[in-house]
Every structure is written in C-alpha cells, then in structure tokens.
Amino acid sequence: MMFKHLFKLIWNKRKQNFLFLSEILISFLVIFAVFSYLTYYYQNYSKPLGFDYKRVWSVAYGNGQLPKNRDSLVTFYDNLTKSLKAMPQIESISLSSSNYPYSDSFMSTGLTHNRRKYDRVSNYMVGNDYQKVWNVSLLEGRWFLPEDAVSKDKGVIINETLKNEMFGKQKAIGKFIGDFDDKNKLKVIGVVADIKANGDFQPGNNALFSPLDTGYLKWTGTVLIKVRESADATFESKLYKFMATSTHNAVEIQHVDEMRDKRNRRTITPMVIFIIIASFLIINVALGLFGVLWYNINKRKGEIGLRRAIGASGRSVSYQLVMEAIILATMSLLVGCFFAVQFPLLSVFDIPASVYIIAMLLSVAFIYLLVLFCSLYPGKQAASIHPAVALHEE
C-alpha cells in the first residue's frame, strides 16, 4: 500500500521528476564507463607479468654495414655473441626481432589448427638464450636448442592462452599446427606462460615464438642483454663503444625497466585525467540531486505539514522522501542497465563480458549510495518541519 502511494505521488509530479531521472541516467552511464575502464585495467594488472624485465638492456643498431653473405653474417654474430658473453658484467644475451616487450613494435602472423584461423598472433623471432634473458616460465616442453636449426620439423613455442584455444586441456607438445594458409606445418615443442609485452595494464596477446635462423639474420638489429648488478654507467659507455665499433653504425641502448615505466605512464595518465573529469561531473550531479530534493521539499511544505498534522512522525516523512528518491533512481537504473547490458551481449571493443558485468554492478551500487547520501539530509530537514509553521506558510 505504501509503495502504491509513493508511485502515485511520483506520477503526479512526473514533470518535476524528469530532471531527477535524467541526472541519474547520465550519472549511471558515466560511472559505468569509468568502472568499465578501471575494471578492465585492474583485471589486466592483477595477472602475472610472465617475465622478468629487471636488469635487461636492449641494444638496437643499424645493420646496413654488416656482411651481406650469409656465412659471413653467421660468423660475425658468432664472434659478437662470444665477445659479449666474455664481458663479466653480462649474464646472458640473445638476438631478437624488434618486437620485444615494451618496444612499441608489433609483428603478427596467422596460424591454422583444425581448419580454424587464428589472426594477429604476436610473432617473436628469438635466439636460443631468449628465455634466460627474460626468465620466461616454461609450462610444458622445452626451449629452443641449437640442433633445432637442422631439425626436419620446424619447432615453435606458443603461449598458454593460444595453447588453451587450440588444444584445450590436452597436451600441446608434439602437436602440429599450420601457418595461416595451412601449407607449412609447425611442431609445438614448448608452452610458456602469457607475457604482458605492452605494459602492466594491457592484456597479453596470443603469441608464437620462432627460432631466429640464419635466413633472418640480415634483418636482425637488436641484441637483448641481461646484465649483472655490477653493470653501471661506465660499463654502458664501454658497451656502446664496442657495439658501435663492431657494427660500424649508430647504436641505441635502452633500459627495459625505464621503457616499462614509460609505457605504463601512457596508460595511467589518461586514466587519471578521465577519473578527474568524471569526478567533477559526479560532484556536479550530486549537487544537482541535492538541489532538486531540497527544492521539492520547499514546494511540498504544505503536504508535509498536513501529514505531520494528522499524526505522521518525522521519521515516516523522512522515510517517504528517501524512498521516493530510491524509486526514481531505480527507474533510471533500469533504463541505464538496458543500454549497459548491450556491451557484453555485443562484445563491444572485444573486452571480456565480466568487465562490463562487474562495472554495471559497481555502478548500480554507487548510484544508490549517491542518491541515499543526497536524500538523507533533505529528508532529515523535512522531518523537522513543524506542522503549524508549514500550514501557516501555505
């Protein structure tokens, strides 16, 4: 009976309540966007990194002056690798394609398994000691060995997510997958944990690791180095001179931990700006809701005074006004949730449905708390209205 009366009051004041409903709906949509944003990045951040970036340096160089003959190029890199390993400050080294973690470089390929195509698979061309440099976790099988270069079947390593998509709970070791056209077969020799190569807040892509063979050496322009704790600026200068002399070209040395921080700042900075803008909007909406409720009380002093005069307690008056606000909020939230639920149903932005569902639940809870907070004080003020004063003013 009480709710029927409340709905009747709301319907009779539908024009005055339209502003309230609109503010709640807009607030919900903004909060839903904010919580979707934060939930998505939090879920990514909470997942393991998959590798160790500390004390890893990348050395990029121009390869235009290197030998063109394949045998001469192999000899050059053998000598370069031995010379670098001989330096006491270096723990391990590996040649690599340019798309190593945090490098802002992306190489992709396509794969086929059971007639299903897998697009935009991150394709890493790596040396034999790539795992040692990054301390990548092997979940199944093994890493590349020198004898893989002369093996009949080309061995590859895939990451855990790609393995689960292709083989489910089955073992992937020894299985064959096809390239994008399914013309060449690749033998899976290992499975590694997912790596977040684009920053702590970005998800890891499906990944394929292929051995860096002699045919790819002419394109190689990156050496990854795991240095010991004793490596300092003096050693970095020595390393720079050695690489510049060896390659006869420009050299750039970057510390991967600094690259990681820079990459994360690109995500955090717009996130903070977005949160600040949304916070100002929410504050304005809260003030608007407070003002609307306050205005309604002043317009309804006669009604409130009459209710108090016929025996209604101040608590029941306050409860009525708060419940009206909650019911109006619920009506707006139903409309807002209708639009919000389309995002997981349509897989908008290719984001997991759990992100949108969690964001929607958090947004609903936030709006209810906001409305409750904004309506409590006006409701308390309404409860303190003396019936004689209210009726006299009317």
Side-chain angles (χ1 to χ4, degrees), residues 77-95:
Y77 275 114
D78 283 342
N79 293 333
L80 179 69
T81 301
K82 291 176 181 177
S83 298
L84 289 172
K85 286 184 176 180
M87 297 181 181
Q89 294 88 350
I90 293 179
E91 188 174 307
S92 56
I93 75 163
S94 174
L95 299 177

Side-chain angles (χ1 to χ4, degrees), residues 108-367:
S108 66
T109 187
L111 297 172
T112 304
H113 181 65
N114 287 341
R115 298 182 180 180
R116 179 183 172 185
K117 300 289 185 181
Y118 297 84
D119 298 321
R120 294 183 62 79
V121 178
S122 295
N123 186 24
Y124 298 94
M125 305 296 296
V126 302
N128 292 337
D129 288 341
Y130 192 87
Q131 182 200 12
K132 294 180 181 179
V133 171
W134 294 110
N135 194 25
V136 179
S137 300
L138 264 173
L139 304 179
E140 293 182 30
R142 61 175 176 81
W143 197 256
F144 300 112
L145 298 173
E147 48 265 33
D148 290 328
V150 294
S151 176
K152 177 184 176 182
D153 300 313
K154 181 180 179 180
V156 295
I157 295 171
I158 60 177
N159 70 332
E160 184 179 11
T161 297
L162 183 58
K163 177 260 179 185
N164 290 335
E165 290 185 15
M166 285 185 167
F167 305 106
K169 296 182 179 180
Q170 299 179 17
K171 291 287 186 180
I173 304 305
K175 301 286 181 63
F176 285 88
I177 57 179
D179 57 15
F180 187 73
D181 296 324
D182 206 16
K183 293 181 178 178
N184 300 305
K185 293 298 181 180
L186 310 172
K187 184 179 181 181
V188 179
I189 64 171
V191 177
V192 297
D194 294 342
I195 64 171
K196 296 191 292 187
N198 297 315
D200 294 1
F201 300 95
Q202 300 294 332
N205 298 327
N206 286 341
L208 173 75
F209 298 85
S210 302
L212 198 154
D213 55 21
T214 56
Y216 193 82
L217 283 180
K218 62 181 179 180
W219 309 109
T220 304
T222 304
V223 174
L224 299 173
I225 299 175
K226 180 85 166 185
V227 299
R228 303 185 190 277
E229 294 183 0
S230 59
D232 53 14
T234 302
F235 168 70
E236 186 173 346
S237 176
K238 176 183 174 182
L239 176 64
Y240 178 89
K241 292 177 182 178
F242 171 77
M243 289 299 299
T245 302
S246 300
T247 60
H248 306 289
N249 218 317
V251 173
E252 181 184 17
I253 299 177
Q254 297 187 82
H255 297 200
V256 174
D257 57 349
E258 296 175 0
M259 297 171 66
R260 168 184 174 267
D261 293 339
K262 182 179 178 182
R263 191 64 186 258
N264 285 340
R265 279 196 296 270
R266 285 193 220 164
T267 302
I268 293 173
T269 301
M271 186 191 307
V272 171
I273 294 173
F274 185 39
I275 292 173
I276 291 174
I277 294 173
S279 298
F280 277 113
L281 179 61
I282 296 305
I283 291 172
N284 287 329
V285 168
L287 292 174
L289 294 178
F290 189 85
V292 168
L293 292 169
W294 189 269
Y295 175 77
N296 286 342
I297 289 172
N298 288 329
K299 292 286 289 184
R300 298 169 63 181
K301 273 190 175 182
E303 174 196 334
I304 294 171
L306 183 60
R307 287 200 63 202
R308 293 298 309 277
I310 61 176
S313 65
R315 184 175 182 180
S316 65
V317 171
S318 176
Y319 176 78
Q320 174 190 333
L321 293 173
V322 172
M323 285 305 299
E324 284 184 26
I326 294 295
I327 290 172
L328 286 170
T330 302
M331 294 168 63
S332 287
L333 289 173
L334 289 174
V335 177
C337 287
F338 171 78
F339 290 106
V341 80
Q342 305 306 313
F343 284 78
L345 291 177
L346 300 175
S347 298
V348 178
F349 304 123
D350 198 26
I351 291 176
S354 62
V355 170
Y356 293 122
I357 294 172
I358 292 173
M360 189 162 53
L361 294 175
L362 291 174
S363 301
V364 169
F366 183 90
I367 291 298

